[in-house]
Amino acid sequence: MKITISLAQMDIAFGEPTKNFAQIEPYVKQAAAAHADIVVFPEMWNTGYDLTRFSAIADPDGQQTRQLLSGLAKEYQLIIHGGSVAIAQNGAFFNTTYIYGPDGKLMTTYQKVHLFGLMKEDQYLAAGHEEDHFAIKGINATSVICYDIRFPEWLRTLSLDDSRVIFVPAEWPTSRIPQFRRLLAARAIENQSFVVAVNRVGNDPDNPFGGHSGVYNPMGDELVTLDDQPQLKTIRIETSETDDARGFMPVFADRRPELYR
C-alpha cells in the first residue's frame, strides 16, 4: 500500500498560541494540493516550551486544537497528525497528540510518556500512560513524541500491534541533531517499520532547533531529510517494504519476552 505523507516543518512563536494556530491551515492546504494522505506537525507547536506560562497559554482540554484540526481535516479531506500541543486538563498540563481523519472525527490521542528533564518537562507536565494506534488506508500506525524515541522498549511495545509506521513529532535542539537521526534510524531498523519524524525549526530563549525532519524505511535508510528552514515536504512510501523486512528477518517471531525486564 502506498501512503503519501507531508512533513510540516514549522517555526514556532514562543508562547504565542494565536500566531501558531494561524500557521496550521496553510500547511494543510499545501499538503492537500500535494494529494497527501496525512500531514504531520511538530511537537508543542501551539506554545513552544514556554512552560512557566502554561496556566495562561495551554489549550484548555485541547478545545481550540481539536476544533481546528477536526475542521481542517474534513475540509481538506486528509488525515491530520497534530504533532503535539500543550493542553490543560484536570488540573494538570499534558504534551498531547490529536489525530483527525478526513471525516473530521478523532482517530486517536496520545500523551507523552517520557518527560524530558533537561528541558524541565518533568517540573511542569504530567506524563501519559496510554498507547495510541490508528490506521492509514488500512495500514496500522502509532505515535510517540520526541524524547520517547530514547526508550526502545516503549516503541517495541507500540509496534507489537503490527504497526508499520511510527510517527515522531519533536522539538529537538540543533546540537543533538546527529543523535536524533541515528535514533530514528535505529528505531526503524529494530521495529522493521517506517519512521516519520517532524522536528521544529527556529529558536526559543534557550535553544535553536535544527529541523532535519525525515522519513526512514524499515532498513534504516533515510528516504528524505529536510534542512533547518520552515517548509512542507511530501513523500510517498510503499508499506509492503515492512513485509519484506519482516519476512527476510523474523525479529518479532524470534522474540523471547519471558526473559525481558
Side-chain angles (χ1 to χ4, degrees):
M1 176 65 71
K2 294 186 183 297
I3 296 175
T4 304
I5 302 168
S6 287
L7 315 180
Q9 180 172 278
M10 59 184 280
D11 196 352
I12 296 170
F14 186 72
E16 297 188 64
T18 300
K19 289 185 178 180
N20 294 319
F21 276 99
Q23 294 192 71
I24 300 304
E25 184 170 6
Y27 283 110
V28 175
K29 186 175 182 179
Q30 289 180 63
H35 305 290
D37 297 303
I38 183 169
V39 58
V40 190
F41 287 90
E43 179 185 19
M44 296 271 277
W45 58 259
N46 65 330
T47 63
Y49 271 80
D50 193 359
L51 303 174
T52 62
R53 296 180 59 240
F54 271 178
S55 59
I57 61 175
D59 189 1
D61 291 320
Q63 291 180 4
Q64 184 177 3
T65 304
R66 290 188 282 116
Q67 182 177 8
L68 176 69
L69 300 185
S70 174
L72 292 176
K74 189 171 183 178
E75 178 179 355
Y76 290 99
Q77 288 294 288
L78 77 174
I79 297 171
I80 299 180
H81 187 301
S84 77
V85 292
I87 72 165
Q89 185 178 67
N90 299 325
F93 303 111
F94 293 88
N95 187 340
T96 301
T97 294
Y98 296 110
I99 302 174
Y100 279 87
D103 58 1
K105 294 181 180 179
L106 182 66
M107 300 177 74
T108 190
T109 299
Y110 175 74
Q111 294 181 320
K112 191 173 187 179
V113 167
H114 301 92
L115 301 180
F116 189 42
L118 284 180
M119 291 178 72
K120 300 181 180 179
E121 278 190 320
D122 56 334
Q123 296 180 33
Y124 295 94
L125 290 163
H129 300 88
E130 303 292 334
E131 301 180 18
D132 78 304
H133 299 283
F134 65 106
I136 309 167
K137 298 167 71 172
I139 301 300
N140 289 344
T142 189
S143 297
V144 294
I145 298 174
C146 202
Y147 186 49
D148 284 329
I149 65 170
R150 290 187 181 270
F151 299 86
E153 60 272 40
W154 180 234
L155 276 77
R156 175 53 56 83
T157 297
L158 295 171
S159 296
L160 292 174
D161 189 48
D162 195 36
S163 291
R164 305 305 178 97
V165 188
I166 302 169
F167 290 91
V168 187
E171 282 208 36
W172 202 282
T174 300
S175 62
R176 294 190 289 278
I177 288 295
Q179 293 94 325
F180 182 56
R181 297 169 74 178
R182 293 186 188 111
L183 286 164
L184 294 169
R187 301 296 85 87
I189 293 166
E190 67 199 11
N191 291 300
Q192 298 173 314
S193 296
F194 285 90
V195 170
V196 177
V198 178
N199 191 29
R200 68 159 293 186
V201 296
N203 300 275
D204 72 11
D206 298 313
N207 292 288
F209 295 92
H212 284 81
S213 303
V215 177
Y216 299 76
N217 72 10
M219 303 302 291
D221 299 321
E222 198 171 50
L223 301 182
V224 64
T225 185
L226 281 60
D227 58 20
D228 61 355
Q229 297 301 307
Q231 61 192 281
L232 183 123
K233 180 72 173 181
T234 301
I235 180 173
R236 177 173 287 189
I237 63 171
E238 174 51 72
T239 60
S240 65
E241 290 182 33
T242 59
D243 296 313
D244 296 339
R246 294 175 186 186
F248 173 72
M249 189 171 294
V251 171
F252 284 83
D254 293 338
R255 294 175 67 250
R256 297 190 62 193
E258 73 275 8
L259 300 180
Y260 308 152
R261 60 186 178 90

